[in-house]
Structure formats: structure tokens, C-alpha cells
């Protein structure tokens, strides 16, 4: 169903406040969720509010983020079990300020959960003319290529670069599907894509209720599994355990670089623009779709939704959120 964007944001905010978040933090989370929804990632959009509530249960959400170490070029944060959207935003704000001052910076965080769409943070940094490399580790739901036991998290890796126009942002999970995809499929009673998960016996399954006794399939074969392992170990660098418990103690790392320290920023952007145009001008193989850059598709979907003033939301998710606000459930 289509929902006016302002109404969707207000609904998300109201449910998050009712869940126990301060109005300010509810707005921060809602904006991140809405961005995912606008870009077409519904499992990481408004539906995630229901997963947040399931994870918290009757507990008041943590909102206290501690700085455990800080220098001019780095910082380490302890999320103290705070939701990853808030930890990620604080880490992004800090790394931007430090990189603009020193040319390069890294901020790592531990003891958080569900860090969201890493492109959300990369886009904020790109607006400040910074390049970013971001990784996020999580619970070992994903197998290594050739296995069926969970070893790695869904472990997204993100690289973002500013340009004269839209930033170029690659944000990919190293698993075939996300944890959020499985949770949403359970909620809606739908099946998973074929060859995306295993059950406890190591058999391919499309049943979302079997996956957490088995594992999610890795993306990209041995190369994807190798990348996932590196992200998991970057989580260790951030202070996370090698195998975080379910929805706890995730690790996040954000590296930001100021390209103006290497060459004039206008010159840098001109070359990035040339590359982007080169992709557009490249011939398309027979039967293939038009070539596009990372982030371009979801940014286009968001722009179209913003122009229309409406966002697509699953009706079941919408009705559940409304019932929560009304106090029915």
C-alpha cells in the first residue's frame, strides 16, 4: 500500500517513542528506517520496528553510548547495548569531524546490534566530501562457502565516494539474504528465495523458520566468504567477540578519508565524474540491462518516491504499527 511519506515517518516515530526511545532518538531511527523504505529495502524499513520491539521485549531501550578511547584521529565507542542506528550515527558524526580536521580518521564501536544500511552513513560523509570504508559484523548466521554451519554474520561492507552529483556508494551484505529478510518472511508467512539458506541438516530450504537452526548461504562463493571473514575480524578489532550472541555485541568500523589532502577536491570530483560518465557511455551487451553505478538504482527509487510524496509499505506491517500506537497490541 502507498502511504504519504510524512505519515510514514510520524508513525515510525510514534511507535519508537511508545517503545521507550526519547523523541530525539526516535526521530533519528525513524529517518534511517524511512530512507531504507524509500530506497526499496522494505525488510530494513518500517518492518524493522517490529523486530526492534521483539528484541527489546519489556526492557527499556539503552541509549547511553560511551567513548572509551579518543585521539585526534580515532575513537572507540561502547554502545552499551544501544541500537546500532544510534551508535552508527554517533560514529559517523565523530569520524566526519576528525577526518575534516586531520585528513583521515577511524571510529570503531562495539556492544551494539543491528547497524542498519551502511550507505546511510556513507552518504552523510560523502556530503562532507569524504571517502568512507565501513564494515559491520554480527551474529554468525551465515555459513562459509561449502559449509552449512553459521560462522559469519551477514557482514555488510560499504565504500562511499563523493562526486559532483550523487555519491558513488557500494553497500553489500556478504550473505545471499539478510537477517531482516528472514524475520520479515516469518512475519508475513512467505518463502525465502531458492538456494539462499540451509536447514539444520545442511539441506537447502525456503522455509524462514528453519534457517536459524541452519544458516544463511554466503554471497559470492569463496570470494564472498573471504570478504565476510575479514568483516567479522574487523568486528573483533572494534571490540566484538569472534562469534557475537544473537542480536548482541556487534562491531562497527568507519574509516573516513579527505581526498582534498591528496589533490584539489574539484580535480578529484572531475575524475570521479569522468569515470561515472564512462560507465554510462559503455556499450551494453546483447540482452543485458543498461549499465549503472552502485547506489544509483536505490537512489533513483528514493527520488521517485520523494517526488510522488508516497512510500510503499506492506499492509500487514502498517496495520500492526497502527495497532501498537492505538494500544491494541
Amino acid at each position: 500500500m502507498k502511504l504519504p511519506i510524512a505519515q510514514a515517518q510520524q508513525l515510525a516515530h510514534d511507535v519508537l517513542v511508545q517503545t521507550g526511545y526519547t523523541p530525539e532518538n526516535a526521530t533519528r531511527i525513524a529517518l534511517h528506517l524511512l530512507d531504507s523504505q524509500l530506497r526499496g529495502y522494505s525488510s530494513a524499513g518500517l518492518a524493522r520496528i517490529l523486530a526492534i520491539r521483539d528484541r527489546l521485549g519489556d526492557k527499556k531501550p539503552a541509549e547511553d553510548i560511551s567513548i572509551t578511547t579518543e585521539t585526534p584521529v580515532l575513537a572507540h565507542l561502547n554502545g552499551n547495548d544501544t541500537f546500532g542506528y544510534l551508535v552508527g550515527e554517533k560514529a559517523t558524526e565523530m569520524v566526519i569531524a576528525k577526518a575534516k580536521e586531520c585528513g583521515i580518521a577511524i571510529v570503531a564501536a562495539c556492544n551494539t546490534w543491528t547497524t542498519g544500511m551502511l550507505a546511510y552513513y556513507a552518504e552523510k560523509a560523502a556530503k562532507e566530501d569524504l571517502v568512507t570504508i565501513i564494515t559491520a559484523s554480527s551474529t554468525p548466521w551465515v555459513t562459509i562457502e561449502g559449509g552449512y554451519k553459521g560462522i559469519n554474520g551477514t557482514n555488510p561492507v560499504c565504500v562511499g565516494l563523493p562526486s559532483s552529483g550523487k555519491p558513488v556508494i557500494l553497500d553489500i551484505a556478504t550473505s545471499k539474504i539478510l537477517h531482516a529478510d528472514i524475520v520479515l518472511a516469518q512475519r508475513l508467512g512467505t518463502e525465502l528465495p531458492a538456494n539462499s539458506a540451509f536447514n539444520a541438516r545442511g539441506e537447502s530450504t525456503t522455509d524462514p523458520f528453519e534457517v536459524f537452526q541452519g544458516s544463511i548461504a554466503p554471497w559470492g562463493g569463496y570470494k564472498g566468504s573471504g570478504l565476510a571473514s575479514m568483516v567479522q575480524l574487523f568486528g573483533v578489532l572494534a571490540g566484538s567477540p569472534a562469534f557475537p550472541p544473537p542480536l548482541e555485541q556487534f562491531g562497527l568500523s568507519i574509516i573516513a578519508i579527505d581526498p582534498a589532502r591528496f589533490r584539489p577536491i574539484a580535480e578529484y570530483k572531475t575524475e570521479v565524474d569522468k569515470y561515472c560518465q564512462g560507465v554510462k557511455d559503455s556499450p551494453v551487451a546483447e540482452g543485458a540491462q543498461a549499465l549503472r553505478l552502485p547506489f544509483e538504482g536505490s537512489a533513483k527509487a528514493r527520488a521517485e518516491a520523494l517526488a510522488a510524496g508516497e512510500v510503499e509499505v506492506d499492509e500487514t506491517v502498517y496495520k500492526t504499527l497502527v495497532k501498537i500506537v492505538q494500544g491494541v497490541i
Side-chain angles (χ1 to χ4, degrees), residues 96-107:
I96 287 172
K98 290 179 180 295
K100 290 180 79 68
E101 180 68 25
C102 299
I104 187 169
I106 178 170
V107 175

Side-chain angles (χ1 to χ4, degrees), residues 18-20 50-61 113:
Q18 190 165 335
T19 302
L50 303 178
I52 293 170
R53 290 175 61 86
D54 288 344
R55 196 275 192 184
L56 291 172
D58 295 329
K59 292 193 308 181
K60 186 179 187 302
W113 51 281

Side-chain angles (χ1 to χ4, degrees), residues 54-236:
D54 288 344
R55 196 275 192 184
L56 291 172
D58 295 329
K59 292 193 308 181
K60 186 179 187 302
E63 298 179 276
D64 179 32
I65 304 167
S66 305
I67 300 175
T68 62
T69 303
E70 186 171 17
T71 75
V73 297
L74 67 83
H76 181 260
L77 307 178
N78 185 334
N80 297 310
D81 205 38
T82 297
F83 187 47
Y85 286 37
L86 300 176
V87 177
E89 188 149 345
K90 183 175 181 65
T92 301
E93 291 168 355
M94 292 183 71
V95 83
I96 287 172
K98 290 179 180 295
K100 290 180 79 68
E101 180 68 25
C102 299
I104 187 169
I106 178 170
V107 175
C110 67
N111 202 8
T112 184
W113 51 281
T114 308
T115 45
M117 305 295 290
L118 302 188
Y120 187 76
Y121 312 125
E123 189 171 17
K124 287 179 178 290
K127 289 177 180 177
E128 299 290 336
D129 287 341
L130 296 174
V131 172
T132 45
I133 302 170
I134 311 174
T135 64
S137 66
S138 59
T139 303
W141 294 301
V142 185
T143 187
I144 295 284
E145 177 69 12
Y148 65 90
K149 177 185 177 182
I151 297 293
N152 291 317
T154 53
N155 289 11
V157 60
C158 177
V159 180
L161 303 100
S163 73
S164 296
K166 296 183 182 67
V168 182
I169 300 176
L170 176 69
D171 180 6
I172 52 170
T174 51
S175 56
K176 283 194 175 179
I177 54 175
L178 302 176
H179 176 270
D181 294 327
I182 299 166
V183 172
L184 184 59
Q186 290 178 347
R187 203 177 300 281
L188 300 181
T190 56
E191 291 191 336
L192 302 173
N195 303 313
S196 64
F198 299 97
N199 61 23
R201 299 179 298 279
E203 302 162 337
S204 182
T205 183
T206 58
D207 184 345
F209 290 97
E210 292 187 337
V211 180
F212 296 130
Q213 286 73 52
S215 65
I216 304 171
W219 162 87
Y222 290 100
K223 294 181 180 180
S225 283
L227 185 59
S229 293
M230 296 303 102
V231 173
Q232 197 76 5
L233 292 173
F234 254 73
V236 172

